[in-house]
Structures are given as C-alpha cells and as structure tokens.
Amino acid sequence: MPYKVTYFNITALAEPIRFLLSYLNIDFEDFRFEREQWPALKPTMPFGKVPVLEIDGKVLNQSTAITRYLSKKAGLAGSDDWLSWADLFFVAILDYLNFMAKIDLLEGRPKLKALKEQVLAVPQIKAWVAKRPADNP
Ligand SMILES: N[C@@H](CCC(=O)N[C@@H](CS)C(=O)NCC(=O)O)C(=O)O
C-alpha cells in the first residue's frame, strides 16, 4: 500500500492525517506501535518524532505540513466555504484534547459543537470513525 501512517496507538496528532486520507478515499496502512517499541523506532524517524506519512517510500513529517499537503489534494485548502482542512484537523484532534484536559472543551460552544457534527457527518469520516480502533483516545 503506497500510503502509510506511523504513530503511537492513539488518535492525537495522527488523527487529522487519518481523517484527511479517509476523506480523500485513500486506503492507507495505519501502522500503530506501543510505547515499548518507540525507543527502537525513534532514531529512524525525522527529528525523532511521529506522526509521519509515507507515500511510495517518501517520508513526510510534521502533522500540520502533512495535513496542509493533503488538504490541497482534497480541495480543502480554503476555497470551500463550508469545510476546510482546519475544520477536519480541529474535530480529529478534539477527543484527544478533551482526554488530556479532562473537560469537554465544547461545553457552552454551540457553533463548535455544530462544526463537530458537520465533520463527523461527512460519509468518508463517518466510515473511518466506525472502523478505527475504539479503545484509544
Ligand atoms: N511538531 C510535530 C510534533 C511531533 C511530536 O511532538 N510528536 C510526539 C508525539 S505527539 C512524539 O513523537 N513524541 C515522542 C518523542 O518525542 O520521543 C508535529 O506536529 O508532527
């Protein structure tokens, strides 16, 4: 498979990438590793960090740069009045932010709640969320 996402077995910074690949209907290898595997993998990653996205063996790094690149492919770089890559990024990372903050960051923010519903209703995103591992933030 030409596309491979490498990250810890959580959502966090990789999830916006997974959202965008799903939105683009691109099949990808979702390579997740456990904490114990990280010391061996770290020296092989650019700047010793993940997530990385490989496309045909070419390694891309930095989650914002990766999502910006994919957003251009998806036509979500800003010309669509209804949805942009930043919306996908925000909703994709929200569960992790809530988990870390231990509060619901959308409480009392109906417009952002509506945005979340809008993104989660996109058929490709809905399909991704339904099939991703359920037991990780
Ligand atoms: N600016 C980078 C930050 C990447 C980053 O900090 N990744 C963390 C996981 S969220 C990591 O690789 N931590 C392991 C380590 O630093 O050893 C990005 O947005 O991709």
Side-chain angles (χ1 to χ4, degrees):
M1 204 176 287
Y3 286 76
K4 177 179 176 183
V5 177
T6 299
Y7 197 58
F8 291 94
N9 190 17
I10 56 174
T11 54
L13 288 183
E15 200 61 8
I17 300 169
R18 299 181 187 121
F19 264 42
L20 275 159
L21 289 169
S22 302
Y23 183 83
L24 281 159
N25 291 312
I26 292 174
D27 277 338
F28 61 97
E29 182 185 348
D30 188 23
F31 180 71
R32 294 165 183 249
F33 56 84
E34 301 301 329
R35 278 181 168 277
E36 311 80 66
Q37 296 168 270
W38 178 236
L41 281 169
K42 185 175 169 78
T44 70
M45 296 297 154
F47 305 109
K49 299 281 183 191
V50 282
V52 299
L53 171 65
E54 282 170 63
I55 307 175
D56 286 323
K58 189 174 162 60
V59 180
L60 311 184
N61 68 96
Q62 297 298 325
S63 57
T64 310
I66 295 168
T67 46
R68 188 162 179 270
Y69 166 77
L70 292 174
S71 75
K72 285 187 179 174
K73 269 183 178 301
L76 292 177
S79 58
D80 186 319
D81 288 343
W82 304 105
L83 197 64
S84 78
W85 71 282
D87 299 323
L88 262 64
F89 196 111
F90 172 70
V91 174
I93 206 161
L94 187 61
D95 286 345
Y96 188 71
L97 294 179
N98 281 338
F99 172 77
M100 294 301 280
K102 296 181 176 47
I103 55 168
D104 178 2
L105 293 164
L106 297 193
E107 194 55 49
R109 297 184 171 90
K111 286 186 180 168
L112 289 178
K113 273 190 186 173
L115 172 65
K116 179 181 176 185
E117 297 312 315
Q118 184 191 347
V119 169
L120 293 179
V122 173
Q124 305 97 301
I125 302 295
K126 204 172 176 173
W128 164 253
V129 170
K131 77 176 181 188
R132 71 183 177 183
D135 54 347
N136 295 104

